[in-house]
Amino acid sequence: HLHFIRKQNDIRHSTTKLFIDGKFVESKSPEWLDIHNPATNEVIGRVPKATHEEMLAAVDSCSRVYHTWSETSILARQQIFLRYQQLIKDNIKELAKLITLEQGKTLADAEGDVFRGLQVVEHTCSITSLMLGETLPSITKDMDTYTYRMPIGVCAGITPFNFPAMIPLWMFPMGMVCGNTYLLKPSERVPGCALMLAKLLQDAGAPDGTLNIIHGQHNAVNFICDHPAIKAISFVGSNQAGEYIYERGSKNGKRVQSNMGAKNHGVVMPDANKENTLNQLVGAAFGAAGQRCMALSTAILVGEARNWLPELVERANGLRVNAGDQPGADVGPLISPQAKERVNSLIQSGVDEGAKVLLDGRNVKVKGYENGNFVGPTIVSNVTPDMKCYKEEIFGPVLVVLEADSLDDAIKIVNKNPYGNGTAIFTTNGAAARKYTHEVDVGQIGVNVPIPVPLPMFSFTGSRASFRGDTNFYGKQGIQFYTQIKTVTSQWKAEDATLKSPAVTMPT
Ligand code: NAD
């Protein structure tokens, strides 16, 4: 499918297409950005900043088609997504290769990226149950009330670089199956995967114009926040962008759901299963090179668990850093040289503020990939909550370690941190687990589960500084976000019950 995305004859000059009204079209933009392979920093293609006319054409296409799409029977929409989930399964390896090329994560992890998005598509196939309304007969004589869940119009999605398949798939399938048309602006750093997903959706039978894709940065984002035809915006990415989009979109009367940054704590109790806990901690801190919003980037070792540090370091040291397409790679490169520099400087800030680097991945060398953006697994101990490396989301393969004397102290640390995306407790004590899940002010909690991202029959419920909006992504809340309720109150009277004079008082 790659030829739909870019011309393959000369990859250095190959241009990423827009997807407008069912066609993969070349942008006329004078402004283009390079796309790099993070393992080598070679330019692998270019992506346009779509022109204003192109963005208008995309949103007009969504608007034109909305009427017929929203009136298409729910069974017909369901059939498209049933075919779509099969096509994604059939193409999972190809999608993963494209993700590894543009984003850098390992092939196995890239397949996981597609798989977790695929599960949302599978979930959309239950739309016939999910979109049911409510009824209450005989609320008064001859009178019934019932509700319909209706689509809301043109919806838009703005996505980050770290999950090129999963996060777009959190968005447009949910929006479209409800009867909305969709405008997607993928991350300009990894734009290929979204186009391949669009091609597969077209192959599954989605009519032209039901999904449009534009590329760009701030201008494209502002366009989405301001265009009056767009009724709702789903955003996933950093706080800087997400808070801005939430405010600008809301001010323009749109619904906005905004999933943002995180600092996720893993609380390790001394009674935990040591072997299991250390492996889970290492996997969740360094997998995807720490570039996951649910990465377990902060450990709090409680009481005697502080003695487990040397073994933690040993396990992290055993991970293999390599290009994502190389066999046996555990930790791939970071997305850009700037990201690498930022991660390295946050590690250094810890050193400067008195923390101890027990494992230092800053100077890691990867044979054959000397120009890649690699940072090896890094463990920083003796960290305190006032340090910069604790306060900022690092978004790299760095585990910062704090210590606490008791579970109560650990809970205090977690609740003082502004973010509320995810957390995990490792323990064999049910009472400790229950206390933790009830007292910790975080939206997604794992008990002996390091990355508790809920499956799509639930919703992604990050909280506090990790989320703005009222309704979360996917699950029942996702359906709620992409629909509005119409409530019908109807009365069918027998003829002899006809009103004989005007009723001027409020009906009771
Ligand atoms: P990012 O905010 O830089 O980019 C996300 C999107 O916003 C992109 O499409 C980009 O073009 C646009 N954008 C970037 N800066 C902008 C600005 N100043 N104004 C307007 N638009 C802007 O995020 P990223 O670096 O691609 O992704 C990493 C971040 O995403 C991390 O903070 C991570 O925690 C977060 N994330 C959160 C979740 C979640 O569900 N909570 C999931 C994945 C990633």
Side-chain angles (χ1 to χ4, degrees):
H1 292 283
L2 286 177
H3 64 282
F4 288 99
I5 302 170
R6 299 191 196 109
K7 286 185 205 151
Q8 291 298 295
N9 47 353
D10 181 353
I11 198 140
R12 280 164 306 154
H13 299 107
S14 72
T15 49
T16 308
K17 303 284 192 290
L18 304 165
F19 184 54
I20 298 180
D21 215 26
K23 290 176 199 66
F24 291 87
V25 294
E26 186 83 7
S27 173
K28 296 198 165 52
S29 178
E31 289 184 273
W32 293 75
L33 303 162
D34 286 343
I35 306 164
H36 297 92
N37 174 350
T40 60
N41 273 313
E42 278 167 344
V43 175
I44 51 170
R46 294 192 304 152
V47 64
K49 294 188 187 174
T51 66
H52 192 69
E53 290 68 37
E54 288 162 350
M55 295 195 286
L56 275 180
V59 82
D60 286 350
S61 166
C62 286
S63 300
R64 255 194 333 273
V65 174
Y66 174 67
H67 184 69
T68 41
W69 178 243
S70 59
E71 298 273 302
T72 301
S73 84
I74 200 158
L75 292 178
R77 297 203 301 262
Q78 183 191 38
Q79 284 304 318
I80 291 171
F81 285 95
L82 278 164
R83 287 194 291 272
Y84 191 39
Q85 58 81 29
Q86 188 58 49
L87 287 177
I88 294 174
K89 277 183 196 141
D90 294 345
N91 287 278
I92 198 160
K93 295 245 182 265
E94 245 189 289
L95 284 159
K97 266 194 236 161
L98 188 53
I99 292 173
T100 298
L101 177 70
E102 290 189 344
Q103 200 274 348
K105 64 177 73 175
T106 67
L107 279 171
D109 198 35
E111 279 190 37
D113 184 335
V114 182
F115 190 79
R116 292 305 295 259
L118 168 66
Q119 289 175 323
V120 178
V121 179
E122 289 173 340
H123 187 60
T124 63
C125 299
S126 319
I127 191 63
T128 39
S129 308
L130 296 170
M131 239 175 121
L132 287 173
E134 298 176 316
T135 62
L136 192 61
S138 304
I139 55 165
T140 187
K141 186 152 171 40
D142 301 328
M143 191 181 282
D144 310 310
T145 297
Y146 48 96
T147 66
Y148 294 116
R149 269 195 187 281
M150 309 297 282
I152 48 182
V154 180
C155 299
I158 300 167
T159 58
F161 79 84
N162 66 330
F163 282 100
M166 180 182 80
I167 292 177
L169 289 173
W170 283 2
M171 297 181 179
F172 67 82
M174 292 292 295
M176 286 173 65
V177 80
C178 292
N180 302 288
T181 53
Y182 215 93
L183 178 66
L184 181 69
K185 191 211 83 67
S187 168
E188 65 279 17
R189 294 189 268 194
V190 294
C193 187
L195 288 182
M196 191 163 161
L197 290 171
K199 176 71 180 91
L200 296 175
L201 185 65
Q202 188 173 51
D203 292 349
D208 293 350
T210 49
L211 173 67
N212 283 275
I213 298 182
I214 58 172
H215 301 295
Q217 294 176 305
H218 304 62
N219 271 352
V221 166
N222 287 342
F223 175 86
I224 288 171
C225 291
D226 295 347
H227 196 293
I230 295 170
K231 302 298 177 208
I233 304 172
S234 294
F235 171 83
V236 178
S238 66
N239 280 68
Q240 194 194 7
E243 289 169 19
Y244 170 79
I245 290 166
Y246 182 80
E247 275 160 34
R248 188 156 174 160
S250 306
K251 209 167 165 193
N252 286 323
K254 303 180 198 307
R255 289 183 184 186
V256 187
Q257 54 177 190
S258 186
N259 265 11
M260 302 178 290
K263 199 80 185 174
N264 308 309
H265 299 72
V267 173
V268 181
M269 299 301 286
D271 59 40
N273 175 327
K274 187 170 164 189
E275 176 78 11
N276 200 38
T277 302
L278 293 179
N279 284 333
Q280 289 193 316
L281 208 51
V282 165
F286 305 117
Q291 297 178 118
R292 289 180 182 141
C293 68
M294 288 290 277
L296 209 52
S297 56
T298 308
I300 305 182
L301 306 180
V302 179
E304 295 301 304
R306 67 188 64 178
N307 300 329
W308 299 0
L309 259 175
E311 278 174 81
L312 188 67
V313 171
E314 197 183 303
R315 267 159 230 256
N317 202 19
L319 296 179
R320 285 154 300 182
V321 183
N322 209 340
D325 61 357
Q326 292 303 301
D330 294 311
V331 178
L334 295 175
I335 188 69
S336 64
Q338 294 77 9
K340 175 176 167 167
E341 204 180 299
R342 190 179 157 273
V343 168
N344 284 345
S345 80
L346 280 165
I347 298 169
Q348 187 56 40
S349 77
V351 176
D352 297 344
E353 291 182 286
K356 249 171 66 193
V357 180
L358 297 182
L359 180 65
D360 193 344
R362 282 179 289 180
N363 296 313
V364 71
K365 295 271 175 289
V366 180
K367 208 162 161 272
Y369 295 91
E370 286 75 12
N371 291 329
N373 311 314
F374 293 95
V375 176
T378 299
I379 296 183
V380 186
S381 71
N382 288 46
V383 172
T384 52
D386 54 323
M387 293 182 186
K388 193 172 172 197
C389 68
Y390 174 78
K391 288 195 276 196
E392 282 196 28
E393 181 183 37
I394 300 180
F395 225 56
V398 182
L399 178 67
V400 303
V401 183
L402 288 77
E403 291 173 12
D405 290 331
S406 65
L407 180 57
D408 279 311
D409 289 346
I411 291 172
K412 271 191 207 127
I413 295 173
V414 179
N415 286 349
K416 242 186 160 173
N417 190 290
Y419 293 108
N421 216 35
T423 185
I425 183 167
F426 300 93
T427 182
T428 49
N429 180 333
R434 187 178 187 284
K435 179 182 166 72
Y436 191 71
T437 52
H438 281 254
E439 292 184 14
V440 85
D441 191 5
V442 174
Q444 306 181 103
I445 304 166
V447 177
N448 300 316
V449 172
I451 304 191
V453 176
L455 286 171
M457 56 295 279
F458 296 93
S459 299
F460 190 103
T461 54
S463 64
R464 294 197 283 142
S466 300
F467 179 69
R468 282 205 186 176
D470 307 295
T471 37
N472 293 117
F473 280 82
Y474 61 77
K476 283 186 195 134
Q477 295 200 45
I479 298 291
Q480 215 173 317
F481 183 76
Y482 286 123
T483 55
Q484 57 192 332
I485 307 276
K486 230 179 216 181
T487 309
V488 181
T489 302
S490 78
Q491 191 170 44
W492 291 101
K493 287 184 178 191
E495 230 167 274
D496 59 353
T498 301
L499 221 53
K500 298 291 185 306
S501 60
V504 291
T505 55
M506 186 70 186
T508 53

